[in-house]
Amino acid sequence: MEIGKHPDHPQELSYLNAVLAFLAAEIPKVEKQKDELDSRVSYAFAHMNIDNPEQFSELTVSLSLLEGWKTHLRQMAYAQGKPYFARVDFDGKTHYIGKISLMRGLDMLITDWRAPLATLYYEGRIGHAAYDCPDGHIEGELTLKRQYQIEKGKLEGFMDIDVTASDTFLQAALGASKDRRLRDIVTTIQAEQNRIIRAALREPLLVQGAAGSGKTTIALHRIAYLLYTHAQTLTPKQVMILAPSRFFLSYISDVLPELGVEQVAQTTFADYVCNCLDMDPEKNPVASPLEALTEAVNNNAHATPRMAAAGLKGSLRFYQLIRSYLRHIEGELLPAEDFALEGYTLFPREKIARMFTDTYTFLPTVKRAAEIEKYLTSTLKRQLPRMEKSIEEVFDKHMAKVRALMPEDTQARRRRFTAVIEKRDAMLKQLQEKARPTRKKYMGTFRLKTAPEYYTALFTTSGLLERVGEGLFSHEEYALLADETRLALARGKWEPEDLPPLLYMQKHLFGIEDGGMKHVLIDEAQDYSPFQFLALKEALPAASFSILGDLHQGLLAHKGINTWEEVRPIFDATPLVLTRSYRTTIEIMEAANPVIMQLYPQGSVPAVPLAVPVIRHGTPVIQHTPGDITSRTAIIQKEIAAAQAAGCRSIALIAKTAGECEALERALHFPIITEQEADYEGGILILPVYLAKGLEFDAVIITDASRYTAQPLDVKLHYIAMTRALHRLVVM
């Protein structure tokens, strides 16, 4: 309905103007409060006494409040352009829904999209509806759901809806051109996405999401929801995002700030492990997670010894081997003798071994040793007086014997007494002087090497790998593990699959400061190995996990997971499945699904449900068969021009190999994306297919589809390339 003809138009316009007027009046007040606090913080810094803990604590609180005010101001500034996007009328009350909560006195002008009531908009149907909140299960009548198009503070349109998945607003959002960053989807969250976003914090979340189902975006909105819902017990610094690359982190960097969330830890698994082990990436570089895959793809190979070794290291068998190795290390640390001082046994070795391997097993190895040293120290403090008394008693008896046998008050008797006393005093002094160094020397057997040193020794000490492995691998597999690890050490780089065992060993040998981390988001989880999941769970025992991925896009299947059943028992979670694809048009997905079906025998049901495109039709997939490089270049240039004319803002030329990318760069002079970028600039890009996963573009040109074979890895690469396109796909 045209906006001017809707009977509610005057009422809606009046409400919008009232909200904007309130914002205009409130923002200067908030700015003044922020500026006053900013001045107090600046003064506190200038007059800070670092020895005064109360001052430091007050400053920390003030800084936190200041960040809160700054975030609130940014949100209010955004709300001036688009204060809300929806309305629900429930049980006779009207509620407007936006990105922030806004109150005027006791009146709620705007309800935050994360509030329980907003579920009525995302999932409710006109008629009887309900939602859950801290006050319980609320039921009532939902009489209106309305969506608004407000741009720069102007009401451009609104529409009454029932089912959000088929409405005009969603189609418009999906059909919009893509710029260089991922954006939020608060206005178009669908029911199945909403249920994942609002899943309970403490329950592990495992999601199999088809290409284009919005996994990454949903995950980021889930973080915003959790921080809003658990604001009293969860801070942004207690949440961590583990992304596949720094480049990917740049790509998603705008979403959380748009949702009013700052200071969430965002890192890669490699950077996280290096931080836990205090390893300098410059001195201890780690190979890219895709290096072995890149090497294979660029050489037209589908399996290499390096990839095979990576698979072994990511397995639960290797996890068992590392556990066995840790027991071996502990056994080597234990002293071979009793703890004795001057012939006195103060602590039997068996008791020390029992304390080390039983009593204190809940502690990291280094802390167990510290506990034993404390126990030895306290034992010495208790036993030394007894030992001294025992020595004195021996010499008292000796002096009594001298008195009985020698005449009184003779020079010989005095000399004998003096000699006995001097010997006694010397023994007492020696006992005191030897107590500390004896304890230190005894505890010296507990001195630990670093986790990297122990791990290196596992592969460089003759026979050690097979000895601690206890038959977990075949002789050929042990040889492969040793050979490939030695090659990596010779290259001067850790392999990515070495990081989970290093993290696990660090945790058990030295412990890991988790920084109070309470929630971890793992994106592209299909490329994590079982050992990787276990190591993370061990390193962050107090954290809950949200794990999202797509097995059809598992490029690292040689070392990652091939089924969610490998993950389910680790986290005790049942996978939730998202099949609806919102990214691509129906035409593109209907071309991509037959490609991924090559993974399955003809006529079989796929183990992972195929993506189901929704709502949006678009340009049919364009196919070309150029005769030579010249005609290929000309066609690509023509297709780029056509895409730009159609309004496409981000265009990707996706090639299979690095060599093909370089040839395209020479011919077309567009930038190549490698694994070194830390920022995503958008525009027209050339990139190898193995770096395209997780990204999306208005238009995609697959520059040579004939290079993809029926091998599983090639099938997945081809599928990933096709499903990066939002609106337009060209296949050469």
Side-chain angles (χ1 to χ4, degrees), residues 185-212:
I185 57 168
V186 290
T187 61
T188 58
I189 293 170
Q190 302 303 296
E192 73 276 12
Q193 297 174 327
N194 188 57
R195 285 189 284 272
I196 289 173
I197 289 169
R198 295 173 187 263
L201 170 63
R202 296 310 309 170
E203 295 177 9
L205 182 68
L206 186 58
V207 178
Q208 158 59 39

Side-chain angles (χ1 to χ4, degrees), residues 63-324:
L63 284 170
S64 179
L65 289 172
L66 182 59
E67 284 301 316
W69 280 116
K70 289 178 179 177
T71 300
H72 187 47
L73 269 174
R74 283 194 293 270
Q75 290 176 307
M76 294 180 79
Y78 172 87
Q80 284 187 300
K82 186 179 292 188
Y84 49 85
F85 55 83
R87 164 185 166 182
V88 293
D89 289 3
F90 183 69
D91 264 10
K93 294 182 180 179
T94 295
H95 308 272
Y96 287 84
I97 299 169
K99 283 189 180 179
I100 64 170
S101 294
L102 189 66
M103 293 192 72
R104 181 176 57 196
L106 297 177
D107 295 331
M108 181 69 78
L109 297 179
I110 305 173
T111 298
D112 194 292
W113 69 274
R114 296 166 289 187
L117 180 135
T119 297
L120 293 171
Y121 167 67
Y122 293 121
E123 297 186 35
R125 301 288 299 271
I126 299 299
H128 188 75
Y131 66 94
D132 293 316
C133 68
D135 292 333
H137 185 69
I138 310 298
E139 297 188 26
E141 289 298 311
L142 180 61
T143 56
L144 178 71
K145 283 176 65 174
R146 181 170 287 173
Q147 287 180 318
Y148 300 87
Q149 186 178 355
I150 301 173
E151 298 297 337
K152 298 181 179 179
K154 182 180 179 182
L155 182 61
E156 296 187 349
F158 59 88
M159 179 181 293
D160 294 341
I161 61 169
D162 186 7
V163 182
T164 57
S166 60
D167 68 90
T168 303
F169 276 65
L170 177 59
Q171 293 190 52
L174 296 177
S177 294
K178 174 76 180 175
D179 63 8
R180 69 191 187 100
R181 294 281 195 269
L182 197 65
R183 294 297 180 189
D184 72 74
I185 57 168
V186 290
T187 61
T188 58
I189 293 170
Q190 302 303 296
E192 73 276 12
Q193 297 174 327
N194 188 57
R195 285 189 284 272
I196 289 173
I197 289 169
R198 295 173 187 263
L201 170 63
R202 296 310 309 170
E203 295 177 9
L205 182 68
L206 186 58
V207 178
Q208 158 59 39
S213 60
K215 294 182 297 297
T216 300
T217 313
I218 291 169
L220 297 173
H221 284 66
R222 172 164 169 74
I223 287 175
Y225 166 77
L226 292 175
L227 289 169
Y228 171 88
T229 305
H230 302 278
Q232 301 302 314
T233 56
L234 184 68
T235 68
K237 291 181 180 180
Q238 293 173 319
V239 177
M240 179 167 64
I241 298 172
L242 287 175
S245 66
R246 295 173 188 170
F247 178 68
F248 188 81
L249 287 171
S250 167
Y251 175 68
I252 67 173
S253 62
D254 287 346
V255 177
L256 287 176
E258 284 178 0
L259 296 173
V261 174
E262 307 278 357
Q263 297 183 313
V264 167
Q266 301 182 50
T267 187
T268 64
F269 182 77
D271 287 343
Y272 169 69
V273 175
C274 286
N275 183 62
C276 288
L277 272 70
D278 197 24
M279 290 198 314
D280 183 348
E282 297 294 325
K283 297 178 181 178
N284 300 275
V286 179
S288 158
L290 294 174
E291 188 171 303
L293 173 73
T294 303
E295 185 181 87
V297 171
N298 288 335
N299 290 296
N300 199 30
H302 299 97
T304 64
R306 188 178 180 183
M307 294 168 74
L312 295 178
K313 287 182 179 178
S315 69
L316 295 183
R317 286 190 292 160
F318 197 69
Y319 162 73
Q320 294 293 343
L321 185 146
I322 293 298
R323 290 190 59 178
S324 174

Side-chain angles (χ1 to χ4, degrees), residues 396-604:
D396 284 347
K397 289 178 182 179
H398 190 49
M399 291 177 70
K401 190 176 181 179
V402 171
R403 289 191 190 96
L405 296 176
M406 297 187 72
E408 291 185 16
D409 198 26
T410 62
Q411 189 172 358
R413 179 173 167 173
R414 286 195 295 273
R415 283 199 302 269
R416 188 66 180 270
F417 274 166
T418 300
V420 170
I421 291 170
E422 288 176 350
K423 188 174 182 181
R424 180 199 64 190
D425 291 346
M427 287 186 68
L428 289 173
K429 183 180 179 182
Q430 187 176 19
L431 185 67
Q432 288 284 354
E433 289 177 346
K434 282 194 173 183
R436 180 181 176 84
T438 299
R439 173 174 56 82
K440 288 292 182 185
K441 181 180 179 182
Y442 192 81
M443 289 304 302
T445 63
F446 288 93
R447 191 170 294 115
L448 290 169
K449 302 174 186 175
T450 66
E453 286 173 332
Y454 278 122
Y455 189 71
T456 300
L458 179 61
F459 298 96
T460 55
T461 304
S462 178
L464 181 59
L465 187 64
E466 293 198 40
R467 190 161 66 251
V468 300
E470 301 173 351
L472 289 167
F473 296 93
S474 68
H475 180 73
E476 291 74 20
E477 287 172 328
Y478 281 122
L480 177 65
L481 284 166
D483 291 345
E484 289 300 318
T485 305
R486 288 169 187 156
L487 284 172
L489 292 172
R491 288 192 293 267
K493 283 185 178 182
W494 292 109
E495 289 290 304
E497 53 274 9
D498 292 324
L499 299 182
L502 282 170
L503 180 64
Y504 188 82
M505 292 175 70
Q506 181 74 13
K507 168 69 176 179
H508 284 268
L509 292 173
F510 301 100
I512 291 172
E513 294 296 328
D514 63 11
M517 201 62 63
K518 291 184 178 180
H519 191 73
V520 179
L521 165 66
I522 302 176
D523 199 8
E524 301 294 347
Q526 73 279 353
D527 288 333
Y528 277 54
S529 70
F531 196 167
Q532 205 166 353
F533 285 119
L534 277 166
L536 277 171
K537 191 178 179 186
E538 286 278 333
L540 299 162
S544 58
F545 286 80
S546 293
I547 301 165
L548 302 95
D550 179 15
L551 295 176
H552 281 160
Q553 299 182 67
L555 295 187
L556 304 183
H558 62 279
K559 65 177 181 180
I561 57 170
N562 291 287
T563 169
W564 292 114
E565 284 302 305
E566 298 176 69
V567 182
R568 186 185 57 77
I570 297 173
F571 293 96
D572 191 24
T574 301
L576 302 176
V577 179
L578 292 172
T579 58
R580 293 186 178 187
S581 176
Y582 300 95
R583 176 190 297 144
T584 59
T585 62
I586 291 172
E587 289 77 8
I588 292 172
M589 193 51 71
E590 286 180 346
N593 276 339
V595 170
I596 203 65
M597 279 301 293
Q598 294 177 82
L599 293 176
Y600 305 102
Q602 192 169 3
S604 66

Side-chain angles (χ1 to χ4, degrees), residues 365-392:
T365 303
V366 71
K367 291 186 178 179
R368 285 189 245 170
E371 287 298 319
I372 289 173
E373 184 166 16
K374 283 196 293 186
Y375 196 85
L376 291 182
T377 302
S378 64
T379 300
L380 271 174
K381 286 182 179 178
R382 291 195 312 271
Q383 294 292 344
L384 272 176
R386 296 177 188 174
M387 294 171 68
E388 290 170 348
K389 185 177 180 181
S390 177
I391 291 171
E392 288 173 348

